[in-house]
Amino acid sequence: MAVPTEPATRAELPAGAGAVVLPEPCLLVIFGASGDLTRRKLVPSLFTLHRENLLAGGFAVLGVSRTPYDDSTFRSMLEEVARRELGPAFDPASWTEFADRLFYHPGDILDSDGFPSLRDRVRSLCEERRIPGNLLFYLSLAPKHYAPAVRGIAASGLSAPGEAMPGFRRVVIEKPFGNDLADARALSGDVSAVFPEERVFRIDHYLGKETVQNLLVFRFANGIFEPLWNRNYIDHVQITMAEDIGVGTRGESYDGAGAARDMLQNHLLQLLALVGMEPPISLSADDVRDEKLKLLRSVEPVSPEGAGEACVRGQYTAGKIRGEAVPSYREEKNVPPGSLTETYVAARFTIDNWRWAGVPFYLRSGKRLGSRVSEVAIQFRPAPYRLFEETACGPMESNLLVLNLQPDEGIYLRFGAKSPGPAICVRPVQLRFSYEQAFGSKSPPAYGRLLLDAMLGDATLFPREDIVEVSWTLLDPFLARWRENPGRDLYFYPAGSFGPREADTLLSKEGRAWRAP
Ligand SMILES: NC(=O)c1ccc[n+]([C@@H]2O[C@H](COP(=O)([O-])OP(=O)(O)OC[C@H]3O[C@@H](n4cnc5c(N)ncnc54)[C@H](OP(=O)(O)O)[C@@H]3O)[C@@H](O)[C@H]2O)c1
């Protein structure tokens, strides 16, 4: 059977066909198969794809990590977690079918002697499952292990298609991609020595969320919003990603990163790019990513002297979440007791271009905040002539558009309406759209969509190397400032609050305030 090495991507398929395209059979080799991400996210998402018949018949997973599982214990371990993660949606009969696709190979990526046996296992599985040599490697490893894993894949001869094993070779790399700009560049060098850019899929799982993808649809499929989407009508933008959970079992890795690297460099800046970018000329991966890059390159870089004014960090102390006492960050498992790592970050950026000149974008994210909410809030300017200002009902609120990314996925628009009665009294009211009500179901898991896209070779939702680099460029002045003095700009906030008070001054000194989520 002739197998194309690079099948058509979703963007190259006829309009309307995207959702039903089946990827070619491939072997997904997950490095870090015993880890948290594989157990809680990757495998449950693959199971969902299986149940929706979105996986090719021969598709299989080969898990690799040091834990000495065999196929059977690997499957049992994953089943237990999938049952817990999926709750009532777990279907035992489908799982039994799906489990036949799961295989395990114990191995240490730091031991080069182990790669030949991995190569043999890959070959025999491809034969057994009639997979035409297509290999998708997923690095679900700590960032320090990305480069050794890529080097091992290359040394084993698995990175390049050959006569014995034709087909595609792609690699998915988890975030964070690097620790700062220099580190990201070094990693790009290691990766590109083995996989050319079009075969590298840097994952930012936020971009796989339906509501995040809807940002482009909302902006560019509707004629009425785009004319308003600029400095003439918009006062400022707030992007919030608030979590109520703490660091959980990720204490050690989180402490080496912090909220700025964990959330600001990737998710928050990606959202900023989607809100601010110009319409792409097509939906091809590079046209979309070119526009994102252009926008991020227009963000005004913060000078080292200005960094203290543009960013506030925080760390949670003990407090209460939904009435339940929770410990401070420093008391979390595997966190050093004197840690100066931030669990909250807020930053102000401006975009130096025709559309956005003078419009501040305020970004914030934190752990152990009062509620779990991710949203983009577009605050419009007040009406130019305040005809109703002098009514008896107090000051009017300007129009506000909120795109709720989670958990109440939807959109609402606030506007003023006359409240019933003899006097003219303007009250804020809301027009609401809910995904669940409109489409009858919760959004599918983001990882499922992204895994499917990687199998299809569609990189639209994966940040390209130049985008990752420009994001690090924006963060580097802050990182340099904190490296110089690790306790700088770090303020404490009780768990269950909405971050340190100092973050309020980022806005209040400009006459604005954070939205209460
Ligand atoms: N967990 C999440 O929700 C989440 C979310 C976003 C991004 N991420 C990113 O995803 C990646 C994985 O995160 P995680 O939470 O799954 O981490 P984790 O639970 O610590 O898992 C790490 C995995 O790496 C394996 N490993 C470590 N050293 C190895 C070696 N020398 N050879 C082979 N395997 C080795 C471990 O297995 P053995 O000990 O059995 O070898 C384990 O399977 C990280 O980059 C993280 O930043 C995770």
Side-chain angles (χ1 to χ4, degrees):
M1 185 177 58
V3 176
T5 47
E6 291 295 328
T9 68
R10 196 191 292 275
E12 289 162 355
L13 294 162
V20 293
V21 175
L22 276 194
E24 295 223 343
C26 78
L27 182 66
L28 173 63
V29 183
I30 304 181
F31 293 96
S34 60
D36 179 72
L37 184 71
T38 306
R39 285 182 276 130
R40 284 194 313 108
K41 301 281 181 203
L42 303 184
V43 170
S45 302
L46 288 165
F47 179 42
T48 306
L49 294 181
H50 167 85
R51 287 183 55 201
E52 289 169 1
N53 293 319
L54 289 171
L55 296 174
F59 171 84
V61 174
L62 178 61
V64 182
S65 45
R66 293 166 305 179
T67 305
Y69 295 121
D70 55 23
D71 291 347
S72 160
T73 49
F74 182 55
R75 290 171 185 179
S76 312
M77 178 277 284
L78 294 175
E79 178 177 346
E80 199 184 308
V81 183
R83 272 181 192 276
R84 201 173 54 229
E85 289 295 316
L86 297 174
F90 182 85
D91 166 14
S94 304
W95 177 269
T96 308
E97 246 174 54
F98 172 71
D100 284 347
R101 297 177 183 269
L102 304 174
F103 302 89
Y104 187 80
H105 182 83
D108 183 341
I109 48 127
L110 301 178
D111 171 16
S112 53
D113 293 345
F115 275 90
S117 70
L118 174 64
R119 180 189 56 215
D120 295 345
R121 185 82 200 273
V122 166
R123 282 190 178 155
S124 75
L125 268 176
C126 283
E127 265 176 43
E128 204 178 290
R129 309 272 313 169
R130 295 173 193 250
I131 296 170
N134 295 326
L135 302 181
L136 179 62
F137 299 101
Y138 198 120
L139 310 188
S140 180
L141 297 161
K144 65 179 180 201
H145 288 145
Y146 297 157
V150 168
R151 282 194 289 268
I153 294 167
S156 66
L158 285 172
S159 58
E163 232 169 74
M165 290 235 299
F168 65 69
R169 302 290 189 276
R170 297 179 192 140
V171 63
V172 182
I173 304 181
E174 257 302 333
K175 64 143 211 188
F177 193 88
N179 208 34
D180 56 24
L181 179 61
D183 192 45
R185 283 189 174 147
L187 179 57
S188 287
D190 286 326
V191 174
S192 65
V194 178
F195 293 98
E197 177 62 25
E198 66 275 12
R199 300 199 194 148
V200 182
F201 293 73
R202 295 171 194 81
I203 212 154
D204 182 331
H205 66 270
Y206 241 76
L207 303 185
K209 286 187 186 296
E210 292 286 323
T211 42
V212 173
Q213 292 164 52
N214 189 49
L215 272 167
L216 285 193
V217 177
F218 180 80
R219 287 193 55 200
F220 302 130
N222 297 294
I224 63 167
F225 302 110
E226 199 49 27
L228 309 178
W229 212 259
N230 58 55
R231 67 194 165 86
N232 296 323
Y233 297 95
I234 294 178
D235 177 73
H236 72 277
V237 176
Q238 294 186 19
I239 305 181
T240 299
M241 295 182 68
E243 297 178 289
D244 53 6
I245 52 168
V247 288
T249 57
R250 292 179 66 209
E252 193 182 338
S253 62
Y254 188 89
D255 200 66
R261 290 183 175 93
D262 197 47
M263 305 297 278
L264 180 57
Q265 185 273 334
N266 36 64
H267 307 325
L268 285 170
L269 286 176
Q270 285 294 318
L271 288 175
L272 179 144
L274 287 167
V275 173
M277 68 191 258
E278 296 303 313
I281 56 167
S282 85
L283 288 179
S284 81
D286 276 333
D287 286 341
V288 174
R289 297 187 299 177
D290 285 349
E291 288 305 334
K292 278 191 181 176
L293 176 68
K294 199 169 92 192
L295 187 282
L296 288 171
R297 288 182 56 204
S298 316
V299 175
E300 206 177 323
V302 176
S303 66
E305 305 78 51
E309 289 290 299
C311 191
V312 172
R313 300 192 295 158
Q315 189 189 88
Y316 60 83
T317 55
K320 282 191 172 174
I321 301 277
R322 285 185 294 277
E324 212 172 283
V326 294
S328 70
Y329 174 68
R330 291 176 174 182
E331 291 164 317
E332 299 273 17
K333 200 172 158 204
N334 298 329
V335 171
S339 170
L340 293 171
T341 297
E342 79 278 0
T343 57
Y344 175 98
V345 65
R348 176 191 186 277
F349 289 104
T350 48
I351 299 171
D352 245 350
N353 69 13
W354 195 267
R355 187 189 281 265
W356 293 115
V359 179
F361 281 65
Y362 302 103
L363 278 47
R364 63 176 162 167
S365 177
K367 289 200 176 288
R368 284 282 192 232
L369 297 183
S371 61
R372 171 178 172 254
V373 60
S374 293
E375 63 168 39
V376 174
I378 313 286
Q379 178 64 64
F380 289 91
R381 292 184 188 283
Y385 172 52
R386 301 192 157 210
L387 184 62
F388 302 104
E389 194 71 352
E390 301 302 317
T391 65
C393 303
M396 278 176 58
E397 293 183 51
S398 309
N399 297 119
L400 174 77
L401 179 75
V402 177
L403 299 117
N404 285 117
L405 309 177
Q406 67 180 25
D408 300 322
E409 301 167 335
I411 295 172
Y412 86 77
L413 177 67
R414 182 180 74 197
F415 60 98
K418 180 184 177 306
S419 72
I424 296 271
C425 198
V426 183
R427 294 267 189 226
V429 291
Q430 292 172 5
L431 270 180
R432 273 186 183 270
F433 152 73
S434 149
Y435 259 83
E436 204 171 354
Q437 277 171 14
F439 298 115
S441 65
K442 279 262 178 208
S443 299
Y447 272 102
R449 165 69 199 261
L450 294 172
L451 282 162
L452 205 55
D453 279 1
M455 290 178 219
L456 285 164
D458 184 347
T460 312
L461 300 178
F462 296 83
R464 215 168 44 192
E465 178 185 355
D466 46 10
I467 292 179
V468 171
E469 282 198 11
V470 76
S471 306
W472 279 119
T473 308
L474 295 173
L475 215 66
D476 257 16
F478 303 120
L479 299 179
R481 180 179 161 82
W482 303 332
R483 242 190 321 267
E484 209 175 81
N485 180 347
R488 244 183 196 167
D489 315 323
L490 185 74
Y491 304 96
F492 293 89
Y493 62 97
S497 69
F498 255 90
R501 271 201 305 274
E502 287 74 4
D504 297 346
T505 50
L506 260 187
L507 282 78
S508 61
K509 64 190 176 196
E510 298 179 340
R512 302 185 176 100
W514 289 113
R515 259 175 53 70

PDB file of all heavy atoms in Angstrom, residues 10 13-22 452 456:
ATOM      1  N   ARG A  10      -5.544  19.374   8.215  1.00  0.00           N
ATOM      2  CA  ARG A  10      -6.949  19.768   8.316  1.00  0.00           C
ATOM      3  C   ARG A  10      -7.205  21.028   7.488  1.00  0.00           C
ATOM      4  O   ARG A  10      -8.200  21.133   6.790  1.00  0.00           O
ATOM      5  CB  ARG A  10      -7.263  20.056   9.785  1.00  0.00           C
ATOM      6  CG  ARG A  10      -8.727  20.108  10.093  1.00  0.00           C
ATOM      7  CD  ARG A  10      -8.917  20.660  11.484  1.00  0.00           C
ATOM      8  NE  ARG A  10      -8.436  19.753  12.510  1.00  0.00           N
ATOM      9  CZ  ARG A  10      -9.141  18.756  13.014  1.00  0.00           C
ATOM     10  NH1 ARG A  10     -10.349  18.533  12.565  1.00  0.00           N
ATOM     11  NH2 ARG A  10      -8.662  17.984  13.952  1.00  0.00           N
ATOM     12  N   LEU A  13      -7.873  20.538   3.751  1.00  0.00           N
ATOM     13  CA  LEU A  13      -9.023  19.738   3.345  1.00  0.00           C
ATOM     14  C   LEU A  13     -10.172  20.650   2.939  1.00  0.00           C
ATOM     15  O   LEU A  13     -10.210  21.816   3.326  1.00  0.00           O
ATOM     16  CB  LEU A  13      -9.448  18.848   4.518  1.00  0.00           C
ATOM     17  CG  LEU A  13      -8.369  17.822   4.841  1.00  0.00           C
ATOM     18  CD1 LEU A  13      -8.592  17.263   6.231  1.00  0.00           C
ATOM     19  CD2 LEU A  13      -8.376  16.698   3.828  1.00  0.00           C
ATOM     20  N   PRO A  14     -11.114  20.102   2.156  1.00  0.00           N
ATOM     21  CA  PRO A  14     -12.227  20.952   1.731  1.00  0.00           C
ATOM     22  C   PRO A  14     -12.988  21.499   2.925  1.00  0.00           C
ATOM     23  O   PRO A  14     -13.048  20.855   3.973  1.00  0.00           O
ATOM     24  CB  PRO A  14     -13.119  19.986   0.927  1.00  0.00           C
ATOM     25  CG  PRO A  14     -12.352  18.730   0.756  1.00  0.00           C
ATOM     26  CD  PRO A  14     -11.182  18.741   1.675  1.00  0.00           C
ATOM     27  N   ALA A  15     -13.564  22.684   2.747  1.00  0.00           N
ATOM     28  CA  ALA A  15     -14.301  23.313   3.846  1.00  0.00           C
ATOM     29  C   ALA A  15     -15.348  22.359   4.378  1.00  0.00           C
ATOM     30  O   ALA A  15     -16.019  21.681   3.621  1.00  0.00           O
ATOM     31  CB  ALA A  15     -14.960  24.581   3.345  1.00  0.00           C
ATOM     32  N   GLY A  16     -15.486  22.304   5.706  1.00  0.00           N
ATOM     33  CA  GLY A  16     -16.514  21.475   6.310  1.00  0.00           C
ATOM     34  C   GLY A  16     -16.044  20.063   6.573  1.00  0.00           C
ATOM     35  O   GLY A  16     -16.675  19.317   7.307  1.00  0.00           O
ATOM     36  N   ALA A  17     -14.904  19.680   5.995  1.00  0.00           N
ATOM     37  CA  ALA A  17     -14.462  18.304   6.163  1.00  0.00           C
ATOM     38  C   ALA A  17     -13.616  18.122   7.406  1.00  0.00           C
ATOM     39  O   ALA A  17     -13.400  17.004   7.845  1.00  0.00           O
ATOM     40  CB  ALA A  17     -13.651  17.871   4.945  1.00  0.00           C
ATOM     41  N   GLY A  18     -13.135  19.258   8.001  1.00  0.00           N
ATOM     42  CA  GLY A  18     -12.148  19.164   9.074  1.00  0.00           C
ATOM     43  C   GLY A  18     -12.518  18.212  10.188  1.00  0.00           C
ATOM     44  O   GLY A  18     -11.699  17.409  10.608  1.00  0.00           O
ATOM     45  N   ALA A  19     -13.747  18.269  10.668  1.00  0.00           N
ATOM     46  CA  ALA A  19     -14.085  17.527  11.866  1.00  0.00           C
ATOM     47  C   ALA A  19     -14.143  16.025  11.643  1.00  0.00           C
ATOM     48  O   ALA A  19     -14.072  15.265  12.592  1.00  0.00           O
ATOM     49  CB  ALA A  19     -15.424  18.019  12.383  1.00  0.00           C
ATOM     50  N   VAL A  20     -14.293  15.551  10.417  1.00  0.00           N
ATOM     51  CA  VAL A  20     -14.492  14.120  10.216  1.00  0.00           C
ATOM     52  C   VAL A  20     -13.281  13.420   9.607  1.00  0.00           C
ATOM     53  O   VAL A  20     -13.341  12.243   9.303  1.00  0.00           O
ATOM     54  CB  VAL A  20     -15.734  13.835   9.329  1.00  0.00           C
ATOM     55  CG1 VAL A  20     -16.998  14.241  10.037  1.00  0.00           C
ATOM     56  CG2 VAL A  20     -15.623  14.564   7.991  1.00  0.00           C
ATOM     57  N   VAL A  21     -12.204  14.129   9.464  1.00  0.00           N
ATOM     58  CA  VAL A  21     -11.036  13.508   8.844  1.00  0.00           C
ATOM     59  C   VAL A  21     -10.346  12.573   9.827  1.00  0.00           C
ATOM     60  O   VAL A  21     -10.047  12.941  10.949  1.00  0.00           O
ATOM     61  CB  VAL A  21     -10.038  14.603   8.412  1.00  0.00           C
ATOM     62  CG1 VAL A  21      -8.773  13.972   7.869  1.00  0.00           C
ATOM     63  CG2 VAL A  21     -10.682  15.478   7.387  1.00  0.00           C
ATOM     64  N   LEU A  22     -10.112  11.351   9.374  1.00  0.00           N
ATOM     65  CA  LEU A  22      -9.402  10.396  10.230  1.00  0.00           C
ATOM     66  C   LEU A  22      -7.918  10.472   9.929  1.00  0.00           C
ATOM     67  O   LEU A  22      -7.515  10.492   8.772  1.00  0.00           O
ATOM     68  CB  LEU A  22      -9.852   8.970   9.913  1.00  0.00           C
ATOM     69  CG  LEU A  22     -11.107   8.460  10.564  1.00  0.00           C
ATOM     70  CD1 LEU A  22     -11.186   6.955  10.391  1.00  0.00           C
ATOM     71  CD2 LEU A  22     -11.145   8.790  12.035  1.00  0.00           C
ATOM     72  N   LEU A 452      -5.098  14.921  17.917  1.00  0.00           N
ATOM     73  CA  LEU A 452      -5.635  14.624  16.590  1.00  0.00           C
ATOM     74  C   LEU A 452      -4.963  15.502  15.530  1.00  0.00           C
ATOM     75  O   LEU A 452      -4.571  15.022  14.459  1.00  0.00           O
ATOM     76  CB  LEU A 452      -7.145  14.892  16.619  1.00  0.00           C
ATOM     77  CG  LEU A 452      -8.029  14.159  15.628  1.00  0.00           C
ATOM     78  CD1 LEU A 452      -7.844  12.664  15.727  1.00  0.00           C
ATOM     79  CD2 LEU A 452      -9.493  14.518  15.890  1.00  0.00           C
ATOM     80  N   LEU A 456      -2.720  14.538  12.310  1.00  0.00           N
ATOM     81  CA  LEU A 456      -3.066  15.003  10.954  1.00  0.00           C
ATOM     82  C   LEU A 456      -1.996  15.914  10.364  1.00  0.00           C
ATOM     83  O   LEU A 456      -2.076  16.301   9.200  1.00  0.00           O
ATOM     84  CB  LEU A 456      -4.393  15.774  10.990  1.00  0.00           C
ATOM     85  CG  LEU A 456      -5.650  14.928  11.137  1.00  0.00           C
ATOM     86  CD1 LEU A 456      -6.834  15.796  11.547  1.00  0.00           C
ATOM     87  CD2 LEU A 456      -5.969  14.207   9.835  1.00  0.00           C
TER      88      LEU A 456
END
